[in-house]
Amino acid sequence: MKIGIVCYPTYGGSGVVATELGSYFARLGHEVHFITYSQPVRLDMLQGNVYYHEVNVHDYPLFQYQPYELALSSKMVDTVIREKLDILHVHYAIPHAYAAYMAKAILADRGIRIPVVTTLHGTDITLVGKNPSYKPAVTFSIEHSDAVTAVSESLRRDTIALFGIQKEIVVIPNFIEPERYTRENEIQRSVLARPDQRIIAHVSNFRKVKRIPDVLAIFDAIQKQIPSRLLMIGDGPEREAAEDWVRTNGLSSEVLFFGKTADVERLLAHTQLFLLPSETESFGLASLEAMAAGSPVVSSNSGGLPEVVVDGVTGFTVKVGDVQTMAAKGIYLLEDDTRLAQFSAAAKAHAATFSLTKLGGQYFSLYESLVHG
Ligand code: GMT
């Protein structure tokens, strides 16, 4: 099959999911065409069967805002025609579903039929999409996609509640490749922590929604009772304030900031507790990745997180903002080696049920039903 994928090319979860899914289909022998404004960060262009079509928006002094959707629709039209694509899969509704609707209409005018799958990822619905200035266009383009998927049951419910969507929304959860997470790797544990310390980690884009001050408060409470190090992985607007807080509170030697790094899996391999206290999270891909690496998770219970983290089995889900309980759950996990090993094994086993082979297969069945149906 010839598949067009539209996504954000950055470190965000939706871009990662789109890139990993496309790479998987390419490995299976399908032709995968990424259409976006820069090369997706996780994309290996040398793997074969993978193509990249850059969307260029030209600056013109008349425009206060550059018309990205127009350039994207036009690039989709060109790519579908030139590469004879069978299907377009757009990740993140804004503005991709809208641009895809326009591309489809233009192509229909030229007698070309192209089915469009829209995958909703979270903030396109819960934060951005419900903004009244986007709502009619987002609602329309979701309704007019040939198929709509959401990454969790919670996001499916939110989409129906916020937009009154009538169209069926199929839940296909995010995935990992279990074989990529191994406890053996070339980063020495001694580089990260002393032998007597536990290793705690957080991975995100350091936006407000991730509640970075909660991550630090939970860690602070834990390290007062259990010697620990915190690995802060990722980058974003809240990072500077977090670094200030760490310095002011004398924790500089116990909190390590890694920024954006390609070593996430290798760092997670040493992680014994993962923290994700987000305000809202449609899925929380980072928590699934941590579990795949064998780390239990203490997260908030918002959005789709309880669909990923099994409370009391693979970690704990706690009310948003209740940092005291989150810290207490973290201490409970870290204070007992046997208990920690049990939660670690359960986390790894549960994460394996979200395999790319299984969930990629669900996406592919959906493609087939639209292309041949
Ligand atoms: O976390 C973000 O704000 C980034 C956003 C994205 O662009 O990828 O993440 C959303 O999609 C991820 C992949 O499906 C989910 O794992 C995240 O939970 C979701 N983020 C939120 O709902 C806040």
Side-chain angles (χ1 to χ4, degrees):
M1 196 179 286
K2 295 187 174 194
I3 304 160
I5 292 187
V6 178
C7 64
Y8 283 105
T10 52
Y11 278 93
S14 62
V16 169
V17 168
T19 308
E20 298 291 355
L21 190 62
S23 299
Y24 173 65
F25 291 140
R27 289 199 295 280
L28 293 180
H30 303 288
E31 208 177 285
V32 182
H33 295 259
F34 286 88
I35 306 168
T36 180
Y37 58 80
S38 76
Q39 199 172 302
V41 283
R42 284 226 197 161
L43 185 61
D44 174 8
M45 287 300 295
L46 300 180
Q47 73 169 94
N49 290 337
V50 160
Y51 303 86
Y52 164 57
H53 307 272
E54 187 161 299
V55 181
N56 295 305
V57 186
H58 297 287
D59 242 349
Y60 187 67
L62 177 68
F63 303 142
Q64 188 178 354
Y65 306 104
Q66 306 309 316
Y68 178 67
E69 292 90 315
L70 281 189
L72 177 59
S73 296
S74 300
K75 189 55 114 186
M76 283 193 232
V77 169
D78 287 349
T79 312
V80 168
I81 294 173
R82 202 169 327 115
E83 307 294 345
K84 300 188 172 37
L85 299 188
D86 296 305
I87 192 155
L88 280 172
H89 186 173
V90 305
H91 290 260
Y92 210 89
I94 301 170
H96 301 155
Y98 187 71
Y101 174 80
M102 287 310 299
K104 189 180 154 95
I106 297 164
L107 287 160
D109 205 41
R110 300 182 189 187
I112 297 169
R113 174 189 169 269
I114 183 91
V116 172
V117 177
T118 297
T119 291
L120 309 174
H121 278 275
T123 42
D124 45 353
I125 297 303
T126 53
L127 295 183
V128 189
K130 67 182 169 186
N131 184 322
S133 50
Y134 301 123
K135 203 168 171 179
V138 174
T139 311
F140 178 86
S141 44
I142 292 174
E143 289 282 14
H144 285 80
S145 297
D146 295 281
V148 181
T149 75
V151 298
S152 65
E153 184 54 39
S154 149
L155 182 60
R156 190 185 76 84
R157 281 196 306 269
D158 283 345
T159 310
I160 293 168
L162 291 165
F163 292 89
I165 299 286
Q166 301 291 317
K167 191 166 184 71
E168 184 193 6
I169 300 174
V170 180
V171 175
I172 304 183
N174 288 333
F175 46 78
I176 42 94
E177 289 178 274
E179 52 284 0
R180 262 175 40 180
Y181 295 86
T182 162
R183 289 257 140 187
E184 287 126 41
N185 71 43
E186 58 272 36
I187 296 186
Q188 295 294 316
R189 190 189 192 278
S190 56
V191 174
L192 303 174
R194 296 192 311 266
D196 66 307
Q197 287 179 313
R198 298 294 201 189
I199 298 182
I200 302 174
H202 170 79
V203 180
S204 78
N205 51 22
F206 285 59
R207 297 215 176 103
K208 269 229 154 16
V209 70
K210 304 294 175 182
R211 296 185 70 100
I212 300 296
D214 287 10
V215 175
L216 298 172
I218 298 163
F219 171 71
D220 191 24
I222 294 176
Q223 64 88 32
K224 285 190 169 117
Q225 293 196 36
I226 296 181
S228 324
R229 277 257 160 96
L230 175 64
L231 317 183
M232 294 291 273
I233 305 163
D235 203 353
E238 298 287 296
R239 176 172 166 182
E240 207 180 312
E243 293 197 76
D244 281 349
W245 188 94
V246 166
R247 266 191 299 275
T248 311
N249 287 275
L251 286 170
S252 295
S253 53
E254 309 308 352
V255 182
L256 311 180
F257 286 87
F258 289 84
K260 288 176 186 160
T261 165
D263 283 328
V264 177
E265 284 151 26
R266 296 194 299 156
L267 293 169
L268 288 177
H270 289 295
T271 297
Q272 293 166 297
L273 173 65
F274 188 80
L275 301 176
L276 196 63
S278 307
E279 184 75 35
T280 166
E281 202 72 70
S282 69
F283 185 89
L285 182 59
S287 65
L288 180 62
E289 293 179 335
M291 290 188 341
S295 171
V297 174
V298 170
S299 74
S300 65
N301 61 3
S302 69
L305 280 167
E307 296 172 49
V308 183
V309 181
V310 186
D311 190 44
V313 179
T314 71
F316 292 96
T317 57
V318 178
K319 198 164 152 281
V320 175
D322 185 354
V323 291
Q324 271 175 351
T325 305
M326 291 187 195
K329 296 295 186 190
I331 291 166
Y332 173 79
L333 288 168
L334 294 176
E335 70 190 355
D336 183 307
D337 282 342
T338 312
R339 184 184 297 142
L340 184 59
Q342 267 166 9
F343 272 78
S344 166
K348 207 168 175 58
H350 184 59
T353 66
F354 292 78
S355 75
L356 173 57
T357 324
K358 176 174 118 187
L359 297 156
Q362 291 184 15
Y363 277 114
F364 198 72
S365 302
L366 184 63
Y367 294 174
E368 281 188 311
S369 70
L370 297 172
V371 172
H372 306 302

